[in-house]
Amino acid sequence: MLLKTSLRSFLAHKGRMALSLVAVVLSVAFVSGTLVFSNTATSTFDKLFASTASDVSIRPHSDRTTDQQVRGQVRTVPVDTVEKVSGLPGVRSAVGDVLVSNAVLVDPATNKPVGPTTGAPTLTGNWTETPRPSLELTSGHAPQGSGQVLLDADTARKAGLGIGSRLRLITASGDHDLKISGIATFRTTNPGAALAFLDTPTAQKLLLGGATAYTSVELFGDGSRGNDDLKAEAATAVGTGLDLKTAAEQKAENVKGIGSFLDFMKYAMLGFAGISLLVGGFLIINTFSMLVAQRTREIGLMRAIGGSRAQVNASVLLEALILAVLGSTLGLFGGIGLATLLIRLMGAVGMNLTSAGLEVGASVPIASYTVGILITVLAAFVPARRAGRTSPMSALRDHGTPSEARANRIRAAVGLVLTAGGAALLVAAAQAGKAATGGALLGLGVVLTLVGFVVTGPLLASGLVRVLGAALPALFGPAGRLAQRNAIRNPRRTGATAAALMIGLALVVGASVFTSSMVSSTNEQIDKSVGADYIVDGGRTGLTPAMLSAAKSVKGLDHLTEQKTVAAGLTLPDGSSSEAQLTAVSPTFVDDFRLPVKAGSATAITGGGISVDEAFATDHHLSVGDKLTVDYGRGRTQSLEIGLITAKGNSLFDGNFFTGIDTVAKAVPAGELPQDAALYGKAEAGADKAKVLDALQESLKAYPQLIVKDQAGYKKIVQDQVNSLLYMVIGLLLLAIVVAVLGVVNTLALSVVERTREIGLLRAIGLSRRQLRRMIRLESVVIAVFGAVLGTGLGLGWGVTAQRVLSTKGLNTLAVPTGTIVEVLLASAVIGLLAAVLPAFRAGRMNVLAAIATD
């Protein structure tokens, strides 16, 4: 009987449940789509690694100098390694591979890089035949001789290249003109990298500086021995100084690299899905609260004929369960469609996955139904409990429950306590001495203030909505007065509706304050600390000697400062050790940068000393004059004296260990030093800086992978990068904002149904259809602006606190984006107008007599 009653009630009010259903569907689809995409991507890469990995890979021994490949240094395996392992029992074949990531491909016709400039690398190597190739030749022929190159099909398609097209290969040894002889297609999937292949002698000459060697030797077994046995016998054959990894170890290493990126994507998207679910919860609460209020008589009759409080409660929860199951089912299938869309989007940025083999798995439906049911039933619990507490007589008289006033007082008290506690935590976070402590306090403060604002929403609605709508009667007459009173008639409903919009907008404003402060802080630090006029950034591959020579030939430059990144291990005076990336610079560095000195002298770093930052010095109890033992690998060490401690609070220098290139060169041979990572230039006195910049850019025009800017241009790059982060956050929050808008639409639509008789009476005493529609639109605008004001207040509090927490990490300038805040408030008014379109249209179409006669 209970199930039958719930089903009938659900079907009778299915139109009023529609928007709540949409909210559940959208939120669950976000969750299921994220999980399906993550599972599919992980499965695809697992298959790729499993199908292409050799049984045993022999590589150069891993130490800190291995990472310097991107700056021009490539570790190699002796060429005779192939002979040593080819004849081992169980070895089917041994293949010598050359593969580097420090070469750049350029299309001469457009002078643009071929392949990704961020994210996945551009890999250049030798074309070999192996039992498990990752690519197969699909057109043309393999490279033959020094002038030919083979390109992967995805890269060729994106760059508009084909057989016979010209390519320029830029390596540490110089520029090399090549012609595409063939196109190869990935057998499984393209992880996003660009791949180019030369024949083996050419690859060794151009990529390894002429060394007759390989970057790895790949062993493939004949199946008669296990990989661990092959590895052990190969290790004995090749001796020490090389690292050997089985197929399983290679897979684990590769999965770890790509897995961290996929996990970040998954958890970030699930976090935003959680926000959408939270916002959807307010919509569901409002829906069931209003349905319970509208069915007061129906519930009273149920109680009068013997229905218990528990049965009424269960009836409402069962309706919520039906809504949840239906919404979760639709959301599950919607998520599969969303995953397909995400896969196509990833293909657009270079990571080619396939939607033909979507990995759904048991975890996806379990998570979808669990999330959908939990959020819906929990959201409906309070309205269900309120329905169960309604007495038969008060329900039949269509009165509210007598405990409402007391409940509101309790709610207000709890909300004020939570808000005050959250505010105190935010203040404590802003005053915390350490960023880690401040971050923890900030997180707790955000949660408490958010919950506090949600709980006190009805209390705030009573006063704030009256203020926000104060001008409506004067501007719009009776329609404005009615809109203002309708918005504050039911503060709980107004508060819950506005809270949904408040959450999304609070995050948008908070993120805007944070990113604006980041840009302003960086600009201030550049103005304060950078004396150089020009910056040449080598990106991932660094600057070759040819690039350095071209830059030095520019007239009007007073000097160029070189900067290299050198991997090293540090042994401290107390015997402890630490891995570090030294920033080695030429002597003019101290002229181009004004280092923040905590102790010592800036000139010490180019006079044979080394610098540490204040945080490192404090953590390890170091002071000027202490000695550090620097280990560059391969047994090359030197003892350097700390001559400078840089003050904290400047992101340009925090975490850096500065020393001179000449100092490092005393321990590391010049031929083994990494390429320059960046150059800094200063114009001669009296020179036209703009013309010198033009000349510098022209001199490096042949190297489009380089970034050549003056200070203003570099600031613009930083701002664009930060803005990209902000736009991504806003994009992910868009779903939550859409669900919040649905909540406003839902509230207005249900309130129109609830006030049918009232609307009929207003029309009967002379309110025109136009005035009626205006009343509903204005009510919607007031509610939306109320939510935006709360969201703006919260977002400002969170953003300002975040800036103060990170002030010691370089985020030392607070910038409040007033333009963004104004846009948010104006957008909320527009949202209110749009949300009211359908409810206002429906109200205007009501028959006056039928509306008055409605029970």
Side-chain angles (χ1 to χ4, degrees), residues 12-342:
H13 302 97
K14 57 183 180 293
R16 305 179 193 181
M17 295 281 194
L19 292 179
S20 292
L21 178 66
V22 171
V24 176
V25 170
L26 290 176
S27 300
V28 171
F30 207 151
V31 173
S32 63
T34 299
L35 294 177
V36 171
F37 169 76
S38 176
N39 291 347
T40 302
T42 301
S43 173
T44 299
F45 285 109
D46 284 347
K47 293 175 183 176
L48 170 66
F49 300 143
S51 63
T52 60
S54 61
D55 294 319
V56 177
S57 179
I58 304 174
R59 308 173 183 179
H61 177 63
S62 297
D63 64 16
R64 58 183 57 93
T65 60
T66 305
D67 294 334
Q68 294 178 15
Q69 172 184 316
V70 297
R71 300 301 183 203
Q73 301 298 310
V74 181
R75 299 295 304 278
T76 58
V77 175
V79 72
D80 62 356
T81 305
V82 174
E83 297 179 8
K84 290 180 180 179
V85 298
S86 293
L88 293 175
V91 174
R92 176 184 175 185
S93 63
V95 180
D97 271 357
V98 176
L99 195 66
V100 302
S101 60
N102 63 345
V104 177
L105 297 171
V106 176
D107 181 358
T110 61
N111 197 40
K112 291 183 179 179
V114 174
T117 55
T118 59
T122 295
L123 302 174
T124 311
N126 64 327
W127 179 257
T128 58
E129 298 292 336
T130 71
R132 298 178 203 139
S134 57
L135 299 97
E136 59 181 353
L137 188 63
T138 51
S139 64
H141 60 81
Q144 300 169 358
S146 60
Q148 296 186 356
V149 63
L150 183 146
L151 198 63
D152 77 87
D154 293 324
T155 301
R157 175 179 50 81
K158 291 174 186 174
L161 301 173
I163 303 296
S165 297
R166 309 296 302 187
L167 273 181
R168 187 166 77 250
L169 177 67
I170 303 173
T171 69
S173 62
D175 296 4
H176 311 280
D177 292 325
L178 304 170
K179 180 185 289 187
I180 297 177
S181 66
I183 302 293
T185 303
F186 280 88
R187 295 167 62 91
T188 51
T189 185
N190 180 358
L195 275 78
F197 299 95
L198 312 167
D199 65 10
T200 298
T202 305
Q204 291 172 330
K205 178 182 178 181
L206 303 186
L207 305 178
L208 303 182
T212 305
Y214 302 113
T215 55
S216 71
V217 173
E218 308 299 329
L219 270 64
F220 298 89
D222 59 13
S224 63
R225 291 175 179 267
N227 290 348
D228 290 330
D229 293 334
L230 279 179
K231 175 182 175 181
E233 294 185 12
T236 302
V238 301
T240 59
L242 297 173
D243 290 341
L244 288 81
K245 295 183 182 294
T246 63
E249 291 169 336
Q250 295 174 61
K251 178 183 175 182
E253 183 180 54
N254 291 329
V255 167
K256 182 179 179 181
I258 194 69
S260 59
F261 168 71
L262 293 176
D263 284 345
F264 172 78
M265 280 192 63
K266 179 174 76 173
Y267 293 122
M269 291 177 67
L270 287 176
F272 285 98
I275 295 171
S276 300
L277 285 166
L278 178 62
V279 172
F282 289 107
L283 193 158
I284 295 167
I285 289 173
N286 260 7
T287 298
F288 279 93
S289 294
M290 297 178 76
L291 287 176
V292 166
Q294 292 168 20
R295 291 160 50 193
T296 308
R297 294 198 174 197
E298 176 187 325
I299 294 171
L301 288 171
M302 186 184 296
R303 293 293 310 280
I305 61 175
S308 67
R309 177 180 295 184
Q311 286 177 314
V312 171
N313 196 333
S315 174
V316 177
L317 291 177
L318 194 53
E319 290 182 44
L321 181 61
I322 296 170
L323 175 69
V325 171
L326 181 58
S328 298
T329 302
L330 295 175
L332 173 61
F333 289 104
I336 294 174
L338 177 61
T340 303
L341 177 61
L342 287 173

Side-chain angles (χ1 to χ4, degrees), residues 688-735:
D688 188 324
K689 293 184 178 180
K691 290 183 178 180
V692 175
L693 174 63
D694 291 340
L696 183 60
Q697 290 175 332
E698 182 65 27
S699 72
L700 298 172
K701 184 179 179 180
Y703 310 106
Q705 75 274 23
L706 302 181
I707 296 175
V708 186
K709 299 289 183 182
D710 58 6
Q711 285 195 27
Y714 192 76
K715 290 177 183 177
K716 181 66 166 55
I717 290 175
V718 172
Q719 183 174 354
D720 290 343
Q721 291 173 342
V722 173
N723 285 342
S724 296
L725 173 65
L726 176 62
Y727 298 149
M728 183 183 71
V729 171
I730 293 175
L732 290 171
L733 285 171
L734 189 60
L735 177 61

Side-chain angles (χ1 to χ4, degrees), residues 71-72 171-174 542-552 675-676 703:
R71 300 301 183 203
T171 69
S173 62
L543 293 105
T544 65
M547 299 173 190
L548 178 60
S549 177
K552 286 184 174 180
Q675 293 175 172
D676 290 334
Y703 310 106

Side-chain angles (χ1 to χ4, degrees), residues 315-564:
S315 174
V316 177
L317 291 177
L318 194 53
E319 290 182 44
L321 181 61
I322 296 170
L323 175 69
V325 171
L326 181 58
S328 298
T329 302
L330 295 175
L332 173 61
F333 289 104
I336 294 174
L338 177 61
T340 303
L341 177 61
L342 287 173
I343 287 172
R344 291 181 179 176
L345 289 175
M346 294 304 293
V349 299
M351 185 181 286
N352 294 331
L353 306 175
T354 174
S355 58
L358 289 176
E359 294 286 335
V360 178
S363 62
V364 177
I366 290 174
S368 298
Y369 282 105
T370 300
V371 166
I373 290 173
L374 276 179
I375 193 68
T376 306
V377 173
L378 286 175
F381 177 77
V382 173
R385 186 167 176 267
R386 192 179 303 136
R389 288 164 51 193
T390 305
S391 68
M393 295 306 297
S394 62
L396 290 172
R397 288 195 300 268
D398 202 19
H399 293 319
T401 58
S403 60
E404 191 76 18
R406 180 173 177 272
N408 285 340
R409 288 195 298 271
I410 296 174
R411 180 189 182 106
V414 171
L416 289 173
V417 170
L418 289 172
T419 303
L425 286 173
L426 292 180
V427 172
Q431 297 175 347
K434 293 186 176 181
T437 304
L441 293 173
L442 172 62
L444 290 173
V446 166
V447 172
L448 284 184
T449 50
L450 176 61
V451 175
F453 265 58
V454 169
V455 174
T456 56
L459 178 65
L460 295 171
S462 300
L464 195 53
V465 169
R466 183 175 281 105
V467 174
L468 292 174
L472 295 183
L475 293 175
F476 301 101
R481 184 177 295 106
L482 289 169
Q484 180 194 33
R485 292 179 178 178
N486 286 336
I488 61 177
R489 175 192 294 182
N490 192 326
R492 175 178 289 183
R493 182 190 305 161
T494 298
T497 305
L501 196 58
M502 173 192 74
I503 295 171
L505 297 181
L507 292 170
V508 169
V509 172
S512 298
V513 172
F514 180 79
T515 53
S516 296
S517 299
M518 187 183 300
V519 171
S520 296
S521 298
T522 302
N523 289 345
E524 181 182 337
Q525 288 164 8
I526 291 174
D527 292 337
K528 181 179 179 181
S529 304
V530 180
D533 298 316
Y534 314 110
I535 299 169
V536 181
D537 190 339
R540 295 187 295 187
T541 56
L543 293 105
T544 65
M547 299 173 190
L548 178 60
S549 177
K552 286 184 174 180
S553 68
V554 174
K555 295 181 179 180
L557 279 176
D558 181 73
H559 65 261
L560 277 176
T561 298
E562 300 175 50
Q563 177 180 304
K564 300 178 184 290

